[in-house]
């Protein structure tokens, strides 16, 4: 048995990099990448990732505990599983990223960043995920849950984002997200460069990015606040029944615009402390560049991930409309 998180935090190659236990085999593939394959036939190949942003620690701790419970037999594995802690250097330093945001570098975008650590790591993860999916039988269904916590508070505290895709949204994943007590689902309207867009577009995986509360340092997380998603992830890897949702129905949103920062004087008409899912009414000026209105609300809209501090050329926020039943 290996300690998945400890090997990353201490930057150590484990003494053993593969092994066989009663019901599964395992292999350490790279720093922060661990695969499990059950001995019995399986119907799903599932990627669980966290730590693509190194300061988002609660999901890292959840995956570390899941790996421990698989090794001890407390969690009987029924799927092929790949666990990924995305950015080990940033995890060790407690930073969101070191040089560049990894979650804007997939689908080949890392090639624009040449020799940076994060570009090399994204290329490595792309190859490892490709190998993982392709090594499973063709009929096996592919899934990817990429776990995050948000920089800022949110009026809808927990939510998932679906990458833009042309294939049908997976009913099993929708059931899992509902059972996880998420408050909202957000559907992207255009191709992106996120980890989940890579797995969705290249491998037709059912993929989602989960935002599970507020980012905090190691040791400061109240993991009881993550009980619902933890229960669902455990049900997913054991093929057990999902818990029953207790909250009201999930709200659904669609992205209608991405705000791109192109000028140094870029401004959002929003307090720096404003939470995710803050609203703008029809005709309100949302953003200004070069001193002029840049984005105007066409109707009542919501804003997600507002951030004026991003580098020029990157997204400073997403504009959403609500999808009514």
């Amino acid at each position: 048995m290996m300690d998945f998180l400890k090997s990353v935090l201490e930057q150590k190659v484990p003494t053993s990099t593969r092994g066989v236990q009663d019901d599964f085999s395992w292999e350490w593939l790279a720093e922060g990448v661990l695969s499990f394959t059950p001995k019995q036939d399986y119907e799903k190949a599932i990627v669980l990732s966290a730590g693509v942003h190194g300061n988002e620690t609660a999901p890292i701790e959840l995956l570390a505990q899941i790996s421990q419970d698989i090794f001890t037999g407390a969690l009987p594995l029924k799927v092929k599983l790949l666990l990924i802690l995305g950015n080990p250097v940033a995890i060790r330093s407690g930073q969101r990223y070191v040089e560049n945001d990894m979650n804007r570098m997939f689908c080949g975008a890392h090639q624009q960043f040449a020799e940076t650590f994060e570009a090399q790591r994204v290329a490595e993860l792309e190859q490892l995920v490709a190998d993982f999916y392709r090594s499973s039988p063709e009929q096996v269904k592919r899934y990817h849950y990429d776990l995050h916590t948000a920089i800022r508070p949110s009026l809808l505290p927990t939510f998932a984002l679906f990458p833009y895709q042309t294939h049908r949204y997976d009913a099993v994943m929708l059931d899992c997200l509902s059972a996880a007590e998420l408050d909202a689902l957000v559907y992207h309207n255009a191709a992106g460069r996120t980890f989940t867009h890579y797995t969705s577009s290249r491998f037709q995986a059912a993929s989602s990015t989960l935002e599970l509360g507020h980012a905090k340092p190691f040791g400061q997380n109240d993991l009881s606040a993550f009980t619902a998603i933890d229960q669902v992830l455990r049900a997913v890897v054991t093929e057990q029944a999902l818990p029953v949702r207790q909250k009201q129905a999930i709200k659904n949103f669609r992205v209608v615009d991405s705000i791109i920062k192109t000028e140094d004087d870029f401004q959002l008409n929003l307090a720096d402390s404003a939470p995710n899912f803050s609203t703008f009414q029809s005709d309100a000026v949302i953003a200004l560049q070069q001193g002029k209105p840049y984005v105007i609300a066409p109707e009542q809209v919501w804003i997600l991930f507002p951030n004026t501090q991003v580098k020029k050329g990157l997204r400073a926020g997403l504009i959403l409309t609500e999808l009514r039943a």
Side-chain angles (χ1 to χ4, degrees):
M1 186 175 84
M2 65 163 290
D3 190 319
F4 185 41
L5 178 55
K6 186 177 180 181
S7 70
V8 169
L9 293 178
E10 296 184 356
Q11 199 175 355
K12 289 183 177 179
V13 175
T15 304
S16 298
T17 58
R18 63 181 64 195
V20 177
Q21 298 199 197
D22 289 343
D23 299 319
F24 64 88
S25 60
W26 64 272
E27 185 173 3
W28 183 89
L29 300 172
E31 185 177 21
V33 185
L34 184 62
S35 71
F36 296 91
T37 304
K39 291 183 178 178
Q40 67 175 46
D41 291 339
Y42 55 90
E43 297 179 353
K44 298 184 178 75
I46 297 175
V47 177
L48 299 181
S49 55
V52 170
H53 295 139
N55 63 337
E56 299 174 0
T57 59
I60 295 170
E61 294 177 12
L62 292 183
L63 294 196
Q65 190 58 57
I66 285 173
S67 76
Q68 292 295 98
D69 289 348
I70 292 172
F71 274 120
T72 63
L75 208 57
L77 185 71
K78 303 297 183 184
V79 303
K80 186 176 180 181
L81 182 64
L82 187 68
L83 297 182
I84 295 175
L85 301 183
N87 192 332
V89 176
I91 290 170
R92 286 190 287 271
S93 62
Q95 297 173 272
R96 182 174 174 83
Y97 54 83
V98 180
E99 295 175 279
N100 294 286
D101 188 340
M102 279 180 56
N103 216 25
R104 304 291 181 270
M105 298 171 68
F106 286 88
C107 302
H110 56 84
Q111 296 169 6
Q112 303 170 20
F113 297 87
E115 300 303 316
T116 65
F117 161 76
E118 271 116 350
Q120 295 170 10
R121 178 63 170 178
V122 168
E124 179 180 47
L125 293 182
E126 286 187 347
Q127 187 61 56
L128 289 170
V129 168
D131 294 343
F132 173 75
Y133 283 141
R134 290 168 179 161
S135 64
S136 300
E138 187 174 344
Q139 71 273 17
V140 168
K141 180 65 179 175
R142 298 163 174 173
Y143 289 87
H144 179 200
Y145 297 84
D146 187 29
L147 311 180
H148 292 254
T149 50
I151 299 172
R152 64 180 62 224
S154 180
L155 296 176
L156 296 172
T158 60
F159 54 96
L161 299 102
F162 289 116
Y164 173 75
Q165 61 188 52
T166 55
H167 54 282
R168 185 187 300 272
Y169 292 96
D170 184 80
V172 172
M173 174 164 276
L174 288 168
D175 287 344
C176 289
L177 298 178
S178 176
E181 303 286 6
L182 299 188
D183 298 295
L185 302 178
V186 178
Y187 295 80
H188 273 288
N189 68 336
R193 296 174 174 179
T194 62
F195 200 178
T196 52
H197 189 83
Y198 172 71
T199 54
S200 172
S201 63
R202 300 295 171 90
F203 306 103
Q204 286 67 58
S207 303
S208 62
T209 303
L210 279 67
E211 299 284 351
L212 303 169
H214 199 51
K216 295 181 179 179
F218 284 118
Q220 296 184 23
N221 294 301
D222 176 9
L223 292 184
S224 67
F226 298 83
T227 297
I229 185 61
D230 186 47
Q231 289 178 339
V232 165
L233 294 178
R234 289 166 179 271
V236 162
V237 301
T238 59
E239 295 275 49
Q240 299 297 307
L242 294 168
V244 177
R245 183 178 177 87
Q246 302 298 320
K247 285 185 177 179
Q248 64 183 18
I250 290 181
K251 293 180 179 291
N252 291 273
F253 297 87
R254 186 173 300 281
V255 177
V256 294
D257 197 8
S258 292
I259 303 174
I260 306 300
K261 177 180 177 179
T262 61
E263 305 294 338
D264 289 327
D265 69 349
F266 174 86
Q267 296 178 42
L268 287 172
N269 269 340
L270 201 66
D272 289 343
S273 60
N276 282 318
F277 293 98
S278 293
T279 57
F280 290 90
Q281 300 306 313
S282 179
D283 297 327
V285 175
I286 299 173
L288 300 96
Q289 289 192 140
Q290 295 184 311
K292 299 176 181 178
Y294 166 58
V295 179
I296 299 175
E299 55 185 308
Q300 184 185 28
V301 295
W302 288 255
I303 189 167
L304 191 60
F305 305 136
N307 185 1
T308 60
Q309 302 306 310
V310 296
K311 296 178 181 179
K312 288 195 293 184
L314 294 183
R315 186 188 74 200
L318 293 173
I319 302 302
L320 318 176
T321 57
E322 187 171 4
L323 300 174
R324 304 290 184 178

